[in-house]
Amino acid sequence: MARKPWSFKEDRRLMELAKSSTSLEEAAKQLGRSPDTIKRMALRLGLALKPKAGKKG
């Protein structure tokens, strides 16, 4: 499957989601991308996304 390039709008949306403490899985769902892709882009943008709510270590 070919990669879909990220748009500036998607970057901004990911920043908003991270700021509002959205989970990685929820951000992936909202942006229509895989959690791994969201994690990589968040790292690239210097953002922190929490793992799925309810997971305790």
Side-chain angles (χ1 to χ4, degrees):
M1 191 161 125
R3 285 191 243 173
K4 184 174 108 184
W6 278 72
S7 68
F8 179 73
K9 188 176 176 183
E10 287 174 306
D11 287 349
R12 299 292 300 169
R13 182 67 182 135
L14 183 55
M15 288 179 208
E16 291 169 10
L17 292 171
K19 193 174 185 179
S20 66
S21 300
T22 302
S23 72
L24 177 65
E25 289 79 6
E26 183 58 32
K29 206 179 292 180
Q30 288 191 32
L31 289 166
R33 299 200 180 242
S34 73
D36 283 342
T37 301
I38 297 296
K39 190 189 294 186
R40 276 194 299 274
M41 185 51 78
L43 284 171
R44 199 171 290 159
L45 294 171
L47 304 172
L49 286 166
K50 63 182 183 176
K52 189 178 218 172
K55 267 192 178 177
K56 301 256 176 182

